[in-house]
Amino acid sequence: MIVTRFAPSPTGFLHIGGARTALFNWLFAKHHGGEFRLRIEDTDRKRSTQEAVDAIFAGMKWLGLNWDGDAVSQFERRDRHAEAARQLLDAGLAYHCYCTPEELTEMREKARAEGSARLYDGRWRDRDPADAPAGIAPVIRLKAPLTGETVIDDKIQGEVKVSNEQLDDMILLRADGTPTYMLAVVVDDHDMEITHVVRGDDHLTNTFRQAQLYQALGWDLPVFGHMPLLHGSDGAKLSKRHGALGVEAYRDMGILPEAMNNYLLRLGWSHGDDEIISRDQAIEWFDLDGVGKSAARFDMAKLESLNAHYIRHADNSHLVSLVLPDLKNALDGSLSDDTETRLLRGMPGLKDRAKTILELVENAKIYAYARPIPINDKAAKILDGEGRRMIEHTRPRLGDVTPWTQQEIEQMVRVVAEELGAKLGNIAQPLRAALTGSNVSPGIFEVMEVLGRDETLGRLEDALSGDV
RNA sequence: GUCCCCAUCGUCUAGAGGCCUAGGACACCACCCUUUCAAGGUGGCGACACGGGUUCGAAUCCCGUUGGGGACGCCA
């Protein structure tokens, strides 16, 4: 069975790039009928807080990426990591190193100056343990192969190799006895029976070292797939500095999780010319061979375009439930009692006109206002002189419209327009201004139907009386 | 500096030697529809980084150059 995992470190939120990694792993597992696991890489105690872990859970949940079993805490497995290091020590495949930080810095500088890749010179590698200086706690280093090469058969990048002369003896266990990342990932991935490690490209060079570790431990390598990184609009790796946001920031911008999933999926993966891809379709189609090799830039405009599509196709009552809280917030006390029912009926006209839920809220205000409604500058201008005259002529005739439907209303207004020798637009625009307080809105006859006859006549009266 | 990876329209991508006069999507522009704005429809602008090979034939294969990115911590 195929088992994948997502292993974020808790940094305060679910990073957008991490979300994509999680999605790919989730999809890959689902496609193959396998399992998807979650592991929190919280060994850096300074950075790990419960809030940060919760933020990851919340982000995953929002995206609908459920994981199998309980999330694993890497920190809680530190004894097992140390045990693996000791095992290597006993087998003579690792050794104690007593170098001080100062010595290491010196070595590093020297190596750089000489153009050498080996930053640690291996000075304790074959030294007699009896030479150990007193009072210095040693680290444990892997006795890595000095010659030959390490080859990775990467399912996304292809065959990648490096000469072992480039790799020095990495630290496995720190002086304080805690495991390093390299040790922890390898031990955890092995113990969690991860079969496929799909992660960002930035781990590609780490993989060589991890492969050496697997070898020393006598374990089989999982299958690796290194996906291209997500870049900011400036072309550099997405980071906090580059405006990389947590997934919840996009939720707050009014992005739907469906749109986010679809967008993230298409960043670095494709299935021919398909753009709009449902989750079921994604599960059916997703595989590693569809993943590209080059980095992709994040493009908000395309995300919004996808979002607009998902809003347009979303269930009306679902959209109402998303919009209502924000609307109450924005309008506070001046919310009409009829808001919810109006929203439900007006949603078809509203949802075609919004790229985000935030815009939807803004546009939905016309159905939430209690009389008298606010009139913006452009609408006020339309209501001057001629526009006002049109409403004066039209309003009385509205009482005769039966039934009160969009079609009947339009028919009546057309008759009035003809009588006045006016174009339909000459009446529609003033009606819009008076009824919505704006120069932009859904079809005005639809708005009238949703508002109902009483509210419509009332708002028109407000406009005529100047009581706005 | 050393090592690793990448390279098709502004952006995301299709393309696995002839189907390519390089296709789609977003963005942009124009037109149509039209009561405004959207949506929708039609059309337009717009790319194989460069140089060498290999081949009858290269966006596709090889080499180099250039450009971009990543990794080089007792961080993860």
Side-chain angles (χ1 to χ4, degrees), chain A residues 306-327:
Chain A
L306 235 20
N307 202 47
H309 174 271
Y310 282 99
I311 287 177
R312 250 178 275 136
H313 291 81
D315 181 64
N316 292 331
S317 56
H318 177 55
L319 290 173
V320 171
S321 71
L322 289 177
V323 159
L324 218 43
D326 285 355
L327 214 44

Side-chain angles (χ1 to χ4, degrees), chain A residues 37 185 310 360 369 411 451:
Chain A
R37 303 212 168 125
V185 221
Y310 282 99
L360 192 59
Y369 291 135
Q411 199 173 17
L451 250 21

Side-chain angles (χ1 to χ4, degrees), chain A residues 4 23 42 60 87 96 105 128 142 145 231 336 375 386 416:
Chain A
T4 64
L23 174 66
D42 51 0
M60 298 284 286
Q87 178 192 329
H96 286 297
T105 308
D128 190 337
L142 177 74
H231 285 176
S336 163
I375 305 286
E386 191 65 8
V416 175

Side-chain angles (χ1 to χ4, degrees), chain A residues 311 319 323 347 350-351 354 356-364:
Chain A
I311 287 177
L319 290 173
V323 159
M347 197 48 81
L350 250 21
K351 67 184 182 183
T356 67
I357 296 300
L358 259 36
E359 283 182 22
L360 192 59
V361 170
E362 196 53 39
N363 299 342

Side-chain angles (χ1 to χ4, degrees), chain A residues 230-239 242 297:
Chain A
L230 210 50
H231 285 176
S233 48
D234 63 346
K237 180 184 177 182
L238 217 45
S239 69
H242 285 94
R297 298 190 186 202

Side-chain angles (χ1 to χ4, degrees), chain A residues 179-192:
Chain A
T180 59
Y181 165 75
M182 290 294 177
L183 208 220
V185 221
V186 169
V187 174
D188 287 345
D189 282 339
H190 171 264
D191 289 0
M192 287 168 77

Side-chain angles (χ1 to χ4, degrees), chain A residues 79-395:
Chain A
D79 291 345
R80 160 89 253 245
H81 303 144
E83 176 197 320
R86 250 176 277 116
Q87 178 192 329
L88 288 174
L89 204 56
D90 294 344
L93 295 167
Y95 60 94
H96 286 297
C97 167
Y98 295 86
C99 287
T100 62
E102 293 71 37
E103 273 181 282
L104 291 172
T105 308
E106 202 176 297
M107 263 183 248
R108 208 168 291 137
E109 279 166 9
K110 182 161 173 267
R112 287 239 163 120
E114 288 171 353
S116 161
R118 233 173 224 160
L119 268 20
Y120 171 68
D121 63 11
R123 63 180 59 170
W124 284 93
R125 185 180 168 105
D126 296 309
R127 200 150 155 189
D128 190 337
D131 292 345
I136 291 184
V139 299
I140 295 180
R141 285 183 186 270
L142 177 74
K143 201 176 265 186
L146 264 12
T147 55
E149 56 184 19
T150 298
V151 184
I152 305 296
D153 178 25
D154 192 281
K155 280 295 174 283
I156 293 172
Q157 302 292 341
E159 188 181 280
V160 186
K161 55 184 161 187
V162 71
S163 159
N164 286 338
E165 278 140 46
Q166 297 294 328
L167 275 17
D168 56 19
D169 292 347
M170 69 182 127
I171 294 177
L172 266 20
L173 218 56
R174 301 187 186 105
D176 65 1
T178 58
T180 59
Y181 165 75
M182 290 294 177
L183 208 220
V185 221
V186 169
V187 174
D188 287 345
D189 282 339
H190 171 264
D191 289 0
M192 287 168 77
E193 300 181 304
I194 305 301
T195 61
H196 291 68
V197 173
V198 177
R199 72 228 303 193
D201 224 349
D202 49 345
H203 286 284
L204 191 51
T205 46
N206 286 336
T207 309
F208 297 126
R209 293 176 181 281
Q210 288 166 20
Q212 292 183 333
L213 234 185
Y214 273 101
Q215 202 171 15
L217 257 1
W219 296 338
D220 288 337
L221 254 62
V223 175
F224 289 103
H226 286 91
M227 44 193 278
L229 258 25
L230 210 50
H231 285 176
S233 48
D234 63 346
K237 180 184 177 182
L238 217 45
S239 69
K240 278 189 190 178
R241 275 194 304 283
H242 285 94
L245 301 173
V247 113
E248 82 288 342
Y250 291 92
R251 181 202 58 208
D252 293 345
M253 283 184 229
I255 300 296
L256 255 24
E258 299 90 317
M260 188 50 110
N261 273 300
N262 195 149
Y263 179 67
L264 255 19
L265 176 63
R266 286 287 289 104
L267 243 34
W269 177 85
S270 62
H271 182 270
D273 284 338
D274 294 302
E275 296 285 350
I276 305 291
I277 303 166
S278 70
R279 171 145 293 188
D280 286 348
Q281 199 90 76
I283 291 172
E284 189 185 327
W285 287 340
F286 189 87
D287 215 336
L288 258 24
D289 54 17
V291 181
K293 289 178 156 195
S294 51
R297 298 190 186 202
F298 192 86
D299 180 16
M300 195 64 196
K302 185 145 186 180
L303 207 210
E304 285 194 341
S305 150
L306 235 20
N307 202 47
H309 174 271
Y310 282 99
I311 287 177
R312 250 178 275 136
H313 291 81
D315 181 64
N316 292 331
S317 56
H318 177 55
L319 290 173
V320 171
S321 71
L322 289 177
V323 159
L324 218 43
D326 285 355
L327 214 44
K328 281 180 179 153
N329 233 316
L331 260 38
D332 204 23
S334 56
L335 200 71
S336 163
D337 294 341
D338 299 326
T339 301
E340 195 165 344
T341 48
R342 284 185 199 156
L343 280 183
L344 202 52
R345 288 193 293 154
M347 197 48 81
L350 250 21
K351 67 184 182 183
D352 268 4
R353 293 169 170 77
K355 287 204 288 286
T356 67
I357 296 300
L358 259 36
E359 283 182 22
L360 192 59
V361 170
E362 196 53 39
N363 299 342
K365 284 182 180 173
I366 57 168
Y367 293 133
Y369 291 135
R371 286 176 55 201
I373 67 168
I375 305 286
N376 72 24
D377 291 349
K378 284 180 179 169
K381 208 164 184 181
I382 294 169
L383 255 15
D384 269 356
E386 191 65 8
R388 184 189 170 86
R389 203 172 67 80
M390 289 296 168
I391 293 177
E392 278 169 352
H393 278 97
T394 310
R395 186 177 178 279

